[in-house]
């Protein structure tokens, strides 16, 4: 499911969805969400008002997709119009289990454009989603996956994100970058994180997947900064990260580290949950 604004931002979403579609032959549901008709209009307005709104929205969406695909929409791309509040409708779909994952775009400015999410709205959808979410932005234009970054945290379960990373790596013949940052004054080669990383590398090798380990020394800096710097200096085509299923004072289930990567990564970020859904 790809939330598709009828703008250049929608084209970015579709391009990234198509890139992954080359690896996994899924159908793309290009979605537009329109406001529902008010209660007053439902009671006193012309009959079929909501249906007419949805039909007109579907025509606009179909026209946009036809232009994007050069005159003909592929059979595995389905235009879909839903009605309701944008954020609540997305969360409902993300919790329905009807889609393998959602594709959303990070936008700096909403400016009243339909089907564009502000950062706070985007984080809310991700926090409450049971399905994985692929987050893209203007820099998410790589057509080929060569390097897949998996941040490693000693405190978290990496099984689910490694399943997705393995799937993409096998299909794209890509390399997995196992990256962790330490700010403790210890020998990084003797740390538990390094031991875990080598165990993961051996597991991936048995699956026929190439990987490399990078244990970064944060040197009293924020771990997130160290990982983001690595991503900027080494070519990273996609990041696969797990959100933490721990409610915070802001009523979200996204950990601080994951939130920083989600909001600041220039590469696409594929966010998986801890307990719901699977490949």
């Amino acid at each position: 499911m790809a939330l598709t604004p009828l703008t250049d931002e929608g084209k970015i979403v579709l391009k990234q969805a198509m890139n992954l579609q080359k690896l996994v032959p899924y159908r793309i549901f290009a979605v537009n969400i329109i406001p529902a008709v008010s209660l007053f209009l439902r009671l006193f307005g012309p009959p079929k008002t909501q249906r007419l709104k949805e039909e007109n929205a579907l025509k606009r969406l179909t026209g946009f997709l036809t232009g994007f695909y050069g005159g003909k929409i592929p059979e595995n791309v389905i235009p879909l119009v839903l009605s309701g509040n944008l954020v609540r409708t997305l969360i409902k779909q993300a919790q329905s289990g009807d889609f393998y994952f959602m594709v959303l775009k990070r936008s700096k400015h909403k400016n009243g454009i339909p089907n564009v999410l502000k950062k706070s709205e985007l984080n809310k959808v991700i926090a409450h989603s049971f399905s994985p979410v692929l987050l893209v932005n203007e820099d998410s234009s790589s057509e080929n996956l060569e390097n897949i970054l998996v941040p490693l945290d000693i405190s978290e379960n990496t099984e689910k994100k490694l399943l997705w990373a393995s799937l993409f790596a096998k299909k794209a013949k890509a390399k997995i970058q196992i990256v962790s940052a330490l700010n403790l004054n210890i020998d990084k080669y003797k740390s538990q994180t390094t031991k875990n990383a080598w165990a993961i590398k051996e597991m991936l090798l048995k699956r026929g997947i190439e990987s490399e380990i990078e244990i970064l020394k944060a040197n009293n800096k924020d771990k997130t900064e160290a990982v983001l710097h690595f991503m900027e200096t080494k070519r990273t085509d996609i990041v696969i990260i797990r959100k933490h299923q721990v409610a915070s004072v802001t009523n979200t289930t996204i950990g601080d580290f994951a939130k920083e990567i989600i909001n600041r990564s220039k590469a696409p970020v594929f966010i998986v949950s801890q307990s719901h859904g699977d490949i």
Side-chain angles (χ1 to χ4, degrees), residues 186-192 194-195:
I186 60 175
D187 185 343
K188 66 179 182 180
Y189 297 106
K190 296 181 180 180
S191 70
Q192 186 61 46
T194 301
K195 294 177 182 178

Side-chain angles (χ1 to χ4, degrees), residues 39-167:
L39 177 61
F40 179 83
L41 283 178
R42 289 202 302 269
L43 293 175
F44 304 107
K48 303 179 182 178
T49 301
Q50 182 65 40
R51 192 178 74 180
L52 290 174
K53 281 188 64 176
E54 292 176 356
E55 289 176 353
N56 289 333
L58 184 59
K59 288 180 182 178
R60 292 192 296 271
L61 176 59
T62 301
F64 178 81
L65 294 173
T66 301
F68 175 80
Y69 286 105
K72 184 178 180 181
I73 302 175
E75 292 183 359
N76 56 3
V77 177
I78 296 93
L80 177 64
V81 171
L82 302 173
S83 299
N85 173 272
L86 178 60
V87 173
R88 288 197 294 269
T89 302
L90 284 173
I91 291 174
K92 180 180 178 180
Q93 297 302 316
Q95 294 180 348
S96 68
D98 292 338
F99 305 99
Y100 286 131
F101 56 86
M102 300 179 66
V103 186
L104 303 175
K105 183 182 179 301
R106 181 172 53 213
S107 181
K108 294 181 180 179
H109 305 288
K110 186 172 182 179
N111 292 333
I113 301 173
N115 293 281
V116 172
L117 294 164
K118 296 185 293 186
K119 183 170 73 172
S120 60
E121 295 172 328
L122 186 62
N123 287 339
K124 186 173 183 179
V125 174
I126 293 170
H128 293 88
S129 175
F130 296 167
S131 303
V133 176
L134 174 64
L135 181 63
V136 302
N137 59 25
E138 283 79 3
D139 299 310
S140 304
S141 58
S142 177
E143 294 187 5
N144 299 311
L145 285 184
E146 296 181 6
N147 295 304
I148 301 171
L149 187 141
V150 177
L152 181 63
D153 187 333
I154 191 173
S155 65
E156 70 172 7
N157 187 330
T158 61
E159 180 181 359
K160 184 159 290 186
K161 63 183 179 183
L162 281 174
L163 285 173
W164 281 103
S166 297
L167 173 65

Side-chain angles (χ1 to χ4, degrees), residues 14 18 26 29 69 77 94 114 134 159 171 186 195 212 217 224 226 267-268 271:
L14 291 171
M18 288 169 59
Y26 55 75
F29 285 84
Y69 286 105
V77 177
L134 174 64
E159 180 181 359
K171 294 290 186 179
I186 60 175
K195 294 177 182 178
E212 64 179 11
K217 291 301 289 283
T224 309
I271 307 116

